[in-house]
């Protein structure tokens, strides 16, 4: 087994660990918040909601991370690809924004492949004619990833997971935060 496969397996194990552990911890936090004496009912509900609702962001970030890990684990062969086109589609009903879907062309063995990104981006990170690194799955060259594009997805996944982690902690520490703020001298 090569180093890339080993690190990919470790990343998947970490993904499973956090995908199960963090939501469970958030529900435990909510239980602690609800059972704490001295809090008013509306504070308990708000703080518990502050702990549970951000799990939606966490789930979205973890779903993105799962897709990225899947692409990386299957796509192991490096090829140089050319950006053939960057298709622009108007997303009606989502603020009428444009999404950009790059199309790549690369050679795998004796065969030429043309693949299109299944994920649209809010802006075009590549230009037509640009040469990029592309990793593809040897058994299925239609399964691929482009490191330049994954970089942006990783950032979004990190941001979403970060919101899903930070806000529950704020909800858990809300009484201490309120006490600290009320102890500050007013101006």
């Amino acid at each position: 087994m090569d180093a890339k496969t080993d690190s990919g397996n470790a990343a998947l194990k970490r993904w499973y660990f956090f995908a199960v552990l963090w939501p469970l911890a958030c529900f435990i936090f909510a239980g602690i918040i609800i059972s704490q004496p001295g809090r008013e009912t509306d504070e308990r509900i708000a703080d518990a909601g502050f702990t549970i609702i951000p799990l939606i962001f966490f789930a979205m970030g973890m779903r993105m991370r799962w897709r990225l890990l899947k692409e990386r684990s299957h796509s192991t062969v490096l090829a140089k690809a050319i950006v053939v086109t960057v298709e622009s589609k108007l997303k009606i009903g989502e603020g009428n924004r444009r999404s950009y879907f790059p199309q790549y062309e690369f050679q795998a063995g004796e065969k030429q492949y043309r693949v299109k990104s299944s994920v649209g981006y809010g802006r075009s990170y590549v230009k037509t004619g640009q040469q990029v690194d592309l990793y593809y799955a040897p058994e299925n060259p239609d399964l691929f990833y482009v490191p330049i594009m994954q970089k942006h997805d990783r950032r979004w996944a990190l941001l979403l997971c970060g919101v899903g982690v930070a806000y529950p902690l704020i909800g858990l520490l809300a009484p201490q935060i309120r006490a600290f703020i009320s102890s500050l001298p007013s101006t």
Side-chain angles (χ1 to χ4, degrees):
M1 215 178 249
D2 63 352
K4 185 175 179 181
T5 305
D6 288 341
S7 69
N9 289 338
L12 277 174
K13 286 178 184 175
R14 280 191 311 271
W15 186 92
Y16 282 118
F17 178 76
F18 286 112
V20 171
L21 179 72
W22 187 248
L24 181 62
C26 287
F27 283 106
I28 291 170
F29 294 164
I32 291 169
I33 289 168
I34 290 172
S35 66
Q36 282 181 336
R39 284 186 174 187
E40 294 187 28
T41 305
D42 59 339
E43 284 180 350
R44 289 180 187 185
I45 292 170
D47 295 346
F50 217 66
T51 305
I52 300 299
I53 292 171
L55 285 178
I56 296 168
F57 295 101
F58 182 77
M60 290 175 4
M62 290 300 279
R63 175 68 180 117
M64 285 178 77
R65 187 73 181 132
W66 173 258
R67 179 182 55 82
L68 297 173
L69 287 171
K70 180 181 154 205
E71 289 172 353
R72 289 184 71 112
S73 68
H74 294 291
S75 305
T76 57
V77 180
L78 174 64
K80 293 293 183 187
I82 301 291
V83 180
V84 180
T85 63
V86 179
E87 188 177 309
S88 170
K89 290 184 181 177
L90 185 62
K91 294 276 189 169
I92 304 296
E94 294 181 20
N96 295 336
R97 297 179 333 165
R98 291 207 167 275
S99 289
Y100 299 92
F101 297 84
Q103 248 183 28
Y104 308 96
E105 192 171 270
F106 66 97
Q107 188 161 346
E110 299 295 319
K111 193 170 179 188
Q112 194 78 8
Y113 287 92
R114 186 177 226 163
V115 292
K116 179 179 167 185
S117 178
S118 61
V119 178
Y121 297 90
R123 121 177 189 217
S124 181
Y125 295 106
V126 293
K127 293 182 171 73
T128 302
Q130 180 179 351
Q131 185 176 18
V132 296
D133 287 339
L134 179 140
Y135 288 87
Y136 66 91
E139 65 281 352
N140 179 11
D142 290 327
L143 182 61
F144 69 96
Y145 78 91
V146 177
I148 288 175
M149 304 306 280
Q150 265 206 354
K151 176 176 72 173
H152 303 289
D153 287 345
R154 278 195 310 268
R155 287 180 186 160
W156 274 105
L158 182 63
L159 176 70
L160 291 169
C161 286
V163 167
V165 169
Y167 278 75
L169 294 174
I170 292 170
L172 183 63
L173 299 173
Q176 291 81 4
I177 294 169
R178 281 190 201 97
F180 175 74
I181 291 173
S182 67
S183 70
L184 293 175
S186 58
T187 55

